[in-house]
Amino acid sequence: MTKKVFVTHQLPGARIHDLARYCELNMWMGPGLLGVENLRQELRGCHGLICLLTDRVDATLLAAVPDLEFVSSMSVGVDHVDLSALSARNIPLGNTPGVLVDTTADTAFALMLAAARRVVEADNFVRQGNWTQKNAWAPDFFTGKDVSGATIGIIGLGQIGQAVARRAAGFGMEILAWNRTSRQVPGVESVSLEELLQRSDFVSLHVALSDETRYLMNAERIALMKSDAILINTARGGIVDEEALAVALADGHLAAAGIDVFENEPVSPDNALLSLKNVVVAPHIGSATTLTRGKMADIAVENAIAALEGRPMIHCVNPDVYR
Ligand code: GLV
């Protein structure tokens, strides 16, 4: 029997063009994102799903698709999928680690430099015609904070955290890290979370979102940070208590933040963080280069093809389903 696969978005990369050889393929052509109700309807009778991190694959959806045999997500993070509901049905979940490591670490550094050196504020200043003879170069004009030689605290020393550490070494930074299970990386000092927050000039988040890490950066932990420190989040919005962060930034308890991810995406225009000049934001673009997105799509398709051929996925989040 030919298996039916639904893809929730048009995908880049080369491998997507081969997928129709392995299955009956149906793809959402937009415009925009699919939405919960459309996903439920389109997935009816399907054996496979290739989705994005914007598609919520929860227990309610899964209950409506009894024939589903695999899910392949074009993302490294899988917090949009109910993993235990999938595993309970022995459905493998594929993801796309590895290929986005350097791209995401670059984004963390871009936000770090932008927040520390007030790049967005300066750009707006010039474009709005505020750079005048009266308001020009002066010893304290647009002064920011040095990245070079500062101390960075990396929360989560997985592949992306380690890639951030390599970049930090190039900037002559002192590198601290905290990981749930202790991990020794040359040039990186392993410390407790509390010590990391107290000593770091920059704190960069690189843990996955889970029940253990939700609101890891709560008001209490934010209060442990230095008042001239900068927080960078390219991981997941739910790791930070956004309201507590906005209060700390507005009160001068933190110097600045660089935020690529929000608890609810797309972020609401009235999110308090957006009203603060000392916050640099981006719309979840950590892995957004043409090359990397193509590689991620290719892996997502490879995972699906493996499942269609009855092989284990190349990158499977719940490999226990194969036992
Ligand atoms: C991006 O956030 C991803 O999880 O791939």
Side-chain angles (χ1 to χ4, degrees):
M1 181 189 67
T2 311
K3 304 266 176 173
K4 288 186 182 173
V5 174
F6 181 63
V7 185
T8 65
H9 205 279
Q10 284 177 276
L11 296 186
R15 206 60 175 122
I16 186 67
H17 303 292
D18 302 328
L19 188 59
R21 283 201 267 123
Y22 299 84
C23 60
E24 186 184 320
L25 183 60
N26 181 17
M27 187 184 281
W28 175 258
M29 302 304 278
L33 297 175
L34 180 66
V36 178
E37 188 48 34
N38 283 335
L39 177 56
R40 200 168 57 82
Q41 293 200 358
E42 297 286 354
L43 207 51
R44 211 171 273 156
C46 282
H47 303 98
L49 168 66
I50 301 184
C51 64
L52 306 183
L53 55 79
T54 46
D55 302 308
R56 196 132 294 284
V57 183
D58 57 17
T60 314
L61 176 75
L62 293 171
V65 279
D67 297 330
L68 197 68
E69 292 174 4
F70 70 86
V71 177
S72 170
S73 182
M74 186 191 138
S75 62
V76 66
V78 290
D79 49 282
H80 54 297
V81 180
D82 186 333
L83 187 58
S84 40
L86 275 190
S87 298
R89 275 174 52 188
N90 272 339
I91 297 177
L93 170 62
N95 71 339
T96 63
V99 290
L100 47 58
V101 167
D102 284 313
T103 307
T104 307
D106 286 352
T107 304
F109 249 80
L111 287 175
M112 203 158 101
L113 287 162
R117 300 299 305 277
R118 305 169 61 185
V119 173
V120 176
E121 209 185 319
D123 177 288
N124 285 332
F125 176 84
V126 176
R127 286 175 200 275
Q128 286 163 11
N130 294 324
W131 192 19
T132 59
Q133 284 297 338
K134 278 202 188 130
N135 204 2
W137 201 101
D140 60 351
F141 187 58
F142 270 102
T143 47
K145 184 178 168 72
D146 280 307
V147 171
S148 298
T151 298
I152 185 171
I154 299 172
I155 297 186
L157 202 51
Q159 288 193 69
I160 299 173
Q162 291 181 40
V164 167
R166 287 195 292 279
R167 283 155 181 74
F171 275 74
M173 300 179 90
E174 182 177 354
I175 308 168
L176 312 177
W178 172 81
N179 200 63
R180 193 166 43 92
T181 52
S182 151
R183 205 165 255 177
Q184 298 310 316
V185 171
V188 177
E189 185 185 348
S190 213
V191 293
S192 70
L193 187 52
E194 287 66 30
E195 185 176 346
L196 180 148
L197 295 170
Q198 283 162 347
R199 284 176 57 192
S200 299
D201 301 304
F202 296 88
V203 171
S204 194
L205 304 177
H206 301 286
V207 286
L209 177 62
S210 66
D211 290 345
E212 290 79 51
T213 61
R214 188 171 299 279
Y215 304 134
L216 182 77
M217 290 305 291
N218 55 18
E220 213 171 276
R221 293 211 175 91
I222 291 170
L224 290 178
M225 292 175 68
K226 294 183 186 179
S227 60
D228 62 347
I230 294 180
L231 180 70
I232 305 299
N233 190 5
T234 52
R236 283 293 184 271
I239 297 164
V240 177
D241 178 338
E242 287 174 354
E243 273 175 44
L245 177 63
V247 170
L249 287 160
D251 287 358
H253 183 77
L254 272 193
I259 307 288
D260 182 45
V261 284
F262 291 84
E263 183 166 18
N264 294 306
E265 296 181 356
V267 68
S268 157
D270 48 23
N271 184 305
L273 290 169
L274 303 190
S275 64
L276 299 169
K277 267 208 316 206
N278 51 349
V279 178
V280 176
V281 292
H284 202 147
I285 58 167
S287 64
T289 65
T290 310
L291 186 64
T292 293
R293 287 287 164 83
K295 289 180 183 173
M296 290 167 70
D298 281 351
I299 295 179
V301 175
E302 271 327 324
N303 279 337
I305 291 174
L308 287 164
E309 291 191 326
R311 291 183 282 114
M313 290 177 166
I314 320 161
H315 294 290
C316 183
V317 181
N318 54 346
D320 281 356
V321 298
Y322 294 121
R323 295 214 185 100

